[in-house]
Amino acid sequence: MFYREAGDFKTSYSADNQTFPIAFDRWRYYVVLFVAIVIIPMTISDYWANSLLLPFLIYAIAALGLNILTGYCGQVSLGTGGFMAVGAYATYKLMTAFPWMDMVSVTLLSGLVTAIVGVLFGLPSLRIKGFYLAVATLAAQFFLVWLFNRVPWFYNYSASGQINAPERSMFGMAVTGPNAEVWVKYLFCLFFVIVLAWIARNLTRGSVGRQWMAIRDMDIAAEIIGVNPLKSKLTAFAISSFFVGVSGALLFSVYLGAVEVGEAFGIQKSFLVLFMIIIGGLGSIFGSFAGAAFMVLLPVFLKIIGVDMLGWPTDIVAHIQLIIVGALIVIFLIVEPHGLAQLSRLAKEKLRLWPFPH
């Protein structure tokens, strides 16, 4: 009976239009923020940070970006891995060329560079859509990986072709490099997750988000009622690429520390982020986090159950993971296209009505 709107009075338009209309949801949100900002940094360990928390935060940003483009604007993209590579290599060039620049500025500028690249590759969306746009973005994926492999300037003429993140500090604490504490890296990534999730939520609820959804639902009708398809589609590509670029920058500089573009940002990375938003739910901010959490937790869970407890070979467990992910994608696309986010919404609706049948 605690999950009710009764007694939660609204006295202003902003209160009536808030993200969490039920008091229980608002308090739960504050508790989650408190635990994420205060409790986890005091109790975090290297294993939990490197296997769960840091990948979840970084991939959640990438899923948010792709969900803006595909879930809200309806523009299919298979080039997420390539755009993450743009963010990573932009971070590397900025860190080596401007050693005095702080990591927040480097990450934001890397996202801006990725946004410019995303707009360039988003220009075909003005003429093509659906399968043809997916192929165009897939071509962008392969072109960007080839570019970073073949042009030595991007990896500073290194003999191995690998890029390594130099050590950078903020407020006297190392954020990147081997001397960085895990709780510092966690808080650095958490800061970007909170800010970008807040921006994404406000964008999707405002006029920009309504234009994206109008283009997604029926672009010809949207253009007739005054929505500019050029502005809406390129804005979606720019903002989505910015988010993905920030994710790639954090993946390289804070989490991995050293990458080779073909291994870290190949086509499998694009499909991984796409699977996150399909399972989590297209057109949902919560779905981006749910999908990222599922795809990060699943291999760890299967390893604990299959390898550690049952003694199965690791290759068998890896194949089981692929089978589970593939089956879930098929099931969600057929039975529940809006993914885990819709299941969460249905559960909350049941709670609001319980114990009454309707």
Side-chain angles (χ1 to χ4, degrees):
M1 302 297 289
F2 55 86
Y3 197 74
R4 293 289 187 271
E5 293 165 301
D8 191 6
F9 301 109
K10 311 295 191 301
T11 57
S12 64
Y13 176 78
S14 59
D16 190 53
N17 200 37
Q18 57 192 330
T19 300
F20 302 108
I22 299 178
F24 180 84
D25 284 335
R26 292 196 296 273
W27 285 109
R28 182 183 60 180
Y29 172 72
Y30 297 142
V31 169
V32 170
L33 276 184
F34 177 78
V35 171
I37 297 174
V38 178
I39 304 299
I40 291 181
M42 294 190 298
T43 59
I44 195 172
S45 65
D46 288 347
Y47 172 78
W48 290 106
N50 293 320
S51 63
L52 292 177
L53 294 175
L54 289 180
F56 163 68
L57 294 175
I58 293 170
Y59 285 124
I61 297 176
L64 279 172
L66 185 59
N67 220 338
I68 286 175
L69 182 63
T70 303
Y72 283 98
C73 196
Q75 308 302 300
V76 182
S77 174
L78 296 177
T80 309
F83 295 129
M84 291 179 73
V86 174
Y89 276 80
T91 299
Y92 176 67
K93 294 301 293 185
L94 289 170
M95 292 177 74
T96 53
F98 307 102
W100 48 267
M101 190 177 294
D102 63 278
M103 277 306 298
V104 173
S105 301
V106 167
T107 306
L108 293 177
L109 286 175
S110 301
L112 183 61
V113 171
T114 313
I116 296 172
V117 176
V119 169
L120 293 177
F121 284 103
L123 289 174
S125 67
L126 305 177
R127 294 292 183 184
I128 58 178
K129 58 184 178 180
F131 170 76
Y132 303 99
L133 180 60
V135 173
T137 55
L138 185 63
Q141 162 75 37
F142 290 118
F143 171 76
L144 290 170
V145 171
W146 172 86
L147 182 68
F148 294 132
N149 259 328
R150 295 299 181 182
V151 180
W153 179 81
F154 288 110
Y155 48 84
N156 286 352
Y157 304 94
S158 169
S160 64
Q162 189 181 69
I163 58 174
N164 298 276
E167 183 172 315
R168 291 289 181 272
S169 301
M170 291 188 64
F171 306 109
M173 296 174 291
V175 177
T176 64
N179 297 321
E181 298 285 344
V182 289
W183 66 271
V184 177
K185 297 193 289 186
Y186 166 79
L187 285 177
F188 186 75
C189 294
L190 181 65
F191 165 76
F192 282 99
V193 170
I194 293 174
V195 172
L196 293 180
W198 178 80
I199 292 173
R201 180 60 179 165
N202 283 275
L203 281 174
T204 53
R205 296 182 72 203
S207 60
V208 175
R210 289 193 291 271
Q211 291 176 18
W212 290 340
M213 288 182 277
I215 292 291
R216 175 195 66 191
D217 295 337
M218 189 173 291
D219 52 353
I220 297 177
E223 188 173 2
I224 290 173
I225 63 175
V227 176
N228 187 342
L230 170 66
K231 177 183 175 183
S232 298
K233 291 181 179 181
L234 292 187
T235 301
F237 266 98
I239 296 175
S240 169
S241 300
F242 177 84
F243 279 57
V244 173
V246 169
S247 173
L250 294 175
L251 184 68
F252 157 65
S253 62
V254 177
Y255 180 53
L256 297 177
V259 299
E260 195 279 322
V261 64
E263 296 179 0
F265 302 109
I267 186 63
Q268 69 276 3
K269 193 72 69 179
S270 298
F271 284 116
L272 175 65
V273 181
L274 182 62
F275 295 161
M276 288 178 183
I277 66 170
I278 291 176
I279 293 176
L282 293 170
S284 169
I285 301 299
F286 171 76
S288 303
F289 286 95
F294 179 85
M295 293 300 294
V296 170
L297 283 170
L298 180 62
V300 178
F301 175 77
L302 290 178
K303 178 183 178 299
I304 293 174
I305 299 297
V307 178
D308 299 340
M309 296 180 61
L310 300 178
W312 292 349
T314 54
D315 56 340
I316 297 296
V317 175
H319 288 122
I320 292 175
Q321 177 188 342
L322 295 176
I323 293 172
I324 293 175
V325 172
L328 284 175
I329 289 173
V330 173
I331 292 171
F332 275 119
L333 289 177
I334 295 174
V335 179
E336 188 50 79
H338 295 289
L340 296 174
Q342 180 64 13
L343 296 180
S344 174
R345 282 193 289 266
L346 292 175
K348 291 198 290 186
E349 286 297 322
K350 295 293 184 182
L351 282 175
R352 290 170 70 182
L353 297 175
W354 184 85
F356 306 106
H358 31 251

